[in-house]
């Protein structure tokens, strides 16, 4: 059966689920096409210039919310958990590693995908990040297309994880 691409209005793109009605064996069937809702990313970095760059780089594909501290991130996570958390390792005087540990210790958040996006590039830094609970570790400077691909991969892996644990 050939795949057809359909243009959707902005109201439909904001919808959580989209169904198509197709004829299979002379019967109308509802088929889930895909989730069209934009992924919500919480980005944690104390530098407002880097926050602006991330919003600019990812804002076309994702809904990006930026916060400048670990306590702000914890508050945001408790109010409205994102689809993916991206954090710098050094957040001012605070630690993105501590944020990873916090997320993994909260039962309602422990399956949240976490990516550390940092200039800390040694093997020890990466191992410390994974031991703290990150799912991915991307070193700055980064290519935006590569970052977008890794974000999509993280979301897909977590979506598959949820399907197998349900």
């Amino acid at each position: 059966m050939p795949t057809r691409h359909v243009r959707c209005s902005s109201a439909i793109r904001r919808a959580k689920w989209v169904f198509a009605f197709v004829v299979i064996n002379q019967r109308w069937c509802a088929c889930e096409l895909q989730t069209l809702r934009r992924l919500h990313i919480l980005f944690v970095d104390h530098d407002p210039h880097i926050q602006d760059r991330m919003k600019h780089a990812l804002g076309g594909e994702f809904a990006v919310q930026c916060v400048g501290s670990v306590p702000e991130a914890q508050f945001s996570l408790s109010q409205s958990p994102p689809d993916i958390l991206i954090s710098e390792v050094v957040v001012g005087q605070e630690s993105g590693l501590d944020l990873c540990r916090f997320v993994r210790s909260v039962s309602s958040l422990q399956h949240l995908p976490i990516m550390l996006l940092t200039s800390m590039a040694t093997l020890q830094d990466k191992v410390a990040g994974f031991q703290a609970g990150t799912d991915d570790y991307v070193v700055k400077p980064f290519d935006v297309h590569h970052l977008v691909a890794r974000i999509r991969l993280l979301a897909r892996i977590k979506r598959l994880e949820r399907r197998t644990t349900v």
Side-chain angles (χ1 to χ4, degrees):
M1 182 178 256
T3 303
R4 294 200 177 174
H5 297 278
V6 180
R7 289 185 182 259
C8 299
S9 73
S10 60
I12 291 174
R13 281 195 301 269
R14 287 190 301 267
K16 188 165 183 175
W17 303 102
V18 175
F19 292 91
F21 292 93
V22 295
V23 177
I24 300 176
N25 294 333
Q26 299 178 347
R27 297 182 121 182
W28 284 98
C29 300
C31 300
E32 179 188 327
L33 289 179
Q34 62 182 357
T35 303
L36 292 177
R37 181 181 62 87
R38 291 181 0 155
L39 287 176
H40 173 218
I41 294 173
L42 177 62
F43 179 66
V44 185
D45 196 302
H46 70 284
D47 186 336
H49 297 297
I50 294 179
Q51 290 180 7
D52 289 342
R53 288 178 57 207
M54 285 298 285
K55 280 184 182 178
H56 179 71
L58 300 177
E61 297 244 359
F62 308 104
V64 181
Q65 175 191 359
C66 297
V67 295
S69 70
V70 170
E72 282 181 271
Q74 291 171 332
F75 178 77
S76 182
L77 288 164
S78 69
Q79 296 301 305
S80 176
D83 297 306
I84 295 178
L85 171 65
I86 301 177
S87 180
E88 169 61 78
V89 171
V90 178
V91 186
Q93 299 297 315
E94 301 155 337
S95 170
L97 300 179
D98 290 337
L99 181 58
C100 288
R101 290 183 196 98
F102 167 79
V103 168
R104 294 300 177 233
S105 71
V106 176
S107 62
S108 63
L109 298 173
Q110 60 188 205
H111 295 294
L112 177 68
I114 303 173
M115 175 186 288
L116 291 175
L117 181 65
T118 182
S119 56
M120 300 180 70
T122 69
L123 180 60
Q124 291 83 1
D125 293 327
K126 293 174 186 177
V127 169
F130 287 113
Q131 287 175 338
T134 192
D135 296 297
D136 201 359
Y137 197 102
V138 176
V139 177
K140 295 176 185 173
F142 58 88
D143 176 79
V144 173
H145 300 292
H146 179 249
L147 182 63
V148 167
R150 296 200 63 114
I151 291 169
R152 286 183 180 150
L153 175 64
L154 244 162
R156 187 169 58 241
I157 289 170
K158 289 300 180 171
R159 193 168 46 248
L160 291 171
E161 258 181 27
R162 279 193 298 268
R163 285 184 188 166
T164 59
T165 58
V166 173

